[in-house]
Amino acid sequence: MQDATESYGRQASALPSPPDPRRWWMLGVLSLALFLIILNNGLLNVALPSLMRDLHAGIGTTQWIVDGYALVFAACLLTAGTLSDRYGRKRATLLGAALFGVGTLIALAARDAGQLIAARTVMGVAAALVMPGTLSILVNVFPEAERPRAIAVWGATSALGVAAGPVLGGALVAHFWWGSVFLVNLLPVAVVLVAGALLLPESAAPVPRPADPVGAVLGSAAMVGLVYGAIHASGEGWTSAPVLGSFAAALLAGAGFAGWERRHPSPMVDFALLRRPAFLGAGAGNMLLFSGMSGTLFVLTQFLQSGLGYSPLRAGLSVAPVAVAVGAGSALSPWAARRTGPRGAVAGGLAVSALGILSLARADNYPGVLLSLCLMGTGVGVALAPATDAVLALVPPERSGNAAALNDTMQELGNALGVAVVGTVLARESGSHLTGGAPGDRVAAAAPAGFTAAAAIVALGAVLSAVLLKGPAREPAPAPVSAADSEEGTPPRPPTAHRDAAA
């Protein structure tokens, strides 16, 4: 009788626990936190002309104001993911939200460009703490059957953030001062802190990776050196000693990071992935797509105000259709991936996006701008999902988090480099070749060069994806086999649910 009771107890404990009835409220909190991060990628762009006038800032300074967020976000993402796994994802998410609020208050009180750059840097660190925990908590609280729907809701907030950033920023700048764009952060931060403390469960990795401060410093130094050199090339030239020195320092730090991580028992980066052509094609395609898109929006929000005479609000509303186009492209993406494979979907989407950006260089009225935005957004939507899936399909489920973190880091680095490189082209063209006229007129006249540079970046991603990714599969591809599967002789498990979760 006792044996029967113990057996029943073991069977009962093996049954999956019922899902938390509050899980959809949790999803709302997590999505709001993600929305806040994405919103601030583009929230400030529409305020740049007003900011430049009030703070007497040049294009190079505004590049740092924008990139202070994206660069630090990218540099800290891998380290923040490790800390989140070790000390708890809820703690990291709430700490990041609180720090985001602190950065917002610093930005609201900023009286010069240096203070604003410092505020954006703090917000970038905070965003890196928030992002890894949101997806990890979502995967833990939703049962497998509901997970795709939850992830779809979570991911849809990205498109909403892209669309809402210029609109909210434009509305605030039209009625208040440029610093008012940061006011929209305060209420979401308060909601995330209060609701997150009450609703979100705590979770951590069963065997967290050890801390790697040396790798974190070396990796961050490589990224900062690369972006610093690209931004300062606008004023000092690509072959000047400070710029070449910055690139050399970035190269040395990158080499040191690679050497250190190869010897580390638990590296932050899986270098085996970097030797896979499919990862290079999809990861580089993603990075270059985000680079071209961020550079395009950096130029476009200024061109609409300086070249077409739009108010900040009208400029923001004019950019919003790109989010609708991204949604349409995302709906086409599964069909394109089935018909053409990762190569066709990713390379084709990048090519369409590059064509849309290039057509902006010839647009002299809003109908032309709208058509270009529709092309760019549709290409982005078609390419993103199969590129991410191609990255995550290369690893077994238990390693999908590391691949996803590396992919996210490349995307954020692309955001930072896009503003740096395209902004440098814009500054050089407006400063060196167009010496007459008001600053706004010079920016408007130089905008085609910036759009052309952004299109070239995305086109390079299309070429790399076409060369390195696979075409349509003739038969179902085998799932990646983990070490445990190989040793025990068990058949490989399909990683679909895990890939969807990490995506």
Side-chain angles (χ1 to χ4, degrees):
M1 187 66 172
Q2 182 178 0
D3 292 341
T5 302
E6 292 176 353
S7 175
Y8 175 79
R10 286 193 299 270
Q11 292 175 10
S13 63
L15 293 175
S17 58
D20 194 314
R22 305 173 302 168
R23 61 193 180 280
W24 294 104
W25 290 102
M26 296 177 191
L27 176 62
V29 176
L30 298 173
S31 297
L32 181 61
L34 178 67
F35 173 81
L36 187 62
I37 292 171
I38 301 301
L39 180 74
N40 277 267
N41 266 326
L43 186 66
L44 195 59
N45 282 346
V46 76
L48 290 179
S50 301
L51 184 152
M52 292 171 71
R53 288 193 301 268
D54 292 349
L55 298 184
H56 306 290
I59 293 177
T61 301
T62 60
Q63 285 174 273
W64 275 114
I65 293 172
V66 174
D67 265 350
Y69 182 76
L71 175 60
V72 176
F73 191 176
C76 296
L77 194 55
L78 287 173
T79 302
T82 301
L83 295 175
S84 177
D85 287 342
R86 170 174 288 273
Y87 297 108
R89 287 131 188 177
K90 176 180 177 178
R91 288 189 184 92
T93 301
L94 295 183
L95 174 62
L99 192 60
F100 206 95
V102 172
T104 296
L105 293 176
I106 296 174
L108 285 169
R111 293 293 178 266
D112 57 50
Q115 293 175 2
L116 189 55
I117 292 171
R120 295 280 286 173
T121 301
V122 172
M123 293 164 71
V125 175
L129 285 169
V130 169
M131 190 169 189
T134 57
L135 187 56
S136 299
I137 294 172
L138 184 154
V139 171
N140 284 333
V141 300
F142 279 91
E144 187 171 349
E146 295 179 345
R147 202 170 295 155
R149 181 183 171 196
I151 292 170
V153 173
W154 181 86
T157 59
S158 295
L160 180 60
V162 170
V167 176
L168 289 175
L172 288 167
V173 172
H175 295 91
F176 305 101
W177 86 113
W178 59 263
S180 64
V181 298
F182 296 107
L183 289 173
V184 298
N185 294 337
L186 297 178
L187 181 59
V189 164
V191 172
V192 169
L193 286 174
V194 175
L198 296 174
L199 293 173
L200 298 181
E202 186 58 279
S203 65
V207 184
R209 289 177 294 172
D212 185 9
V214 174
V217 170
L218 289 173
S220 300
M223 294 183 192
V224 171
L226 187 62
V227 178
Y228 180 90
I231 288 178
H232 279 264
S234 63
E236 302 180 28
W238 290 96
T239 58
S240 65
V243 172
L244 291 178
S246 179
F247 287 149
L251 182 63
L252 289 174
F257 175 77
W260 174 266
E261 291 297 300
R262 287 181 183 278
R263 294 191 300 270
H264 198 275
S266 183
M268 299 170 65
V269 174
D270 185 355
F271 283 94
L273 284 175
L274 300 179
R275 295 192 293 269
R276 304 285 294 273
F279 177 83
L280 292 176
N286 248 345
M287 183 178 76
L288 294 172
L289 176 61
F290 274 79
S291 182
M293 186 169 61
S294 65
T296 298
L297 295 177
F298 178 80
V299 177
L300 180 60
T301 51
Q302 299 180 67
F303 170 75
L304 290 172
Q305 297 175 74
S306 301
L308 300 186
Y310 286 9
S311 67
L313 176 58
R314 188 179 179 188
L317 290 170
S318 299
V319 174
V322 74
V324 179
V326 171
S330 299
L332 292 173
S333 182
W335 174 84
R338 286 194 302 269
R339 293 293 299 271
T340 65
R343 178 193 299 161
V346 177
L350 286 167
V352 171
S353 184
L355 179 62
I357 296 172
L358 184 61
S359 63
L360 281 171
R362 295 181 174 273
D364 55 3
N365 53 42
Y366 186 67
V369 171
L370 179 61
L371 176 61
S372 300
L373 288 176
C374 290
L375 285 173
M376 182 183 77
T378 301
V380 170
V382 169
L384 272 181
T388 302
D389 190 65
V391 169
L392 297 173
L394 297 173
V395 297
E398 61 269 19
R399 291 170 52 208
S400 61
N402 183 271
L406 181 57
N407 186 63
D408 291 343
T409 300
M410 293 178 71
Q411 288 181 359
E412 288 302 322
L413 179 59
N415 276 330
L417 282 175
V419 174
V421 173
V422 176
T424 294
V425 172
L426 183 70
R428 297 285 290 179
E429 186 71 15
S430 64
S432 299
H433 303 292
L434 302 166
T435 55
D441 295 335
R442 296 200 300 269
V443 169
F451 293 135
T452 302
I457 291 171
V458 179
L460 175 61
V463 172
L464 291 176
S465 301
V467 172
L468 297 172
L469 287 175
K470 295 181 179 179
R474 300 296 180 184
E475 58 186 18
V481 181
S482 66
D485 291 333
S486 302
E487 294 173 0
E488 298 175 8
T490 55
R493 295 164 292 173
T496 305
H498 295 267
R499 289 206 310 267
D500 290 342

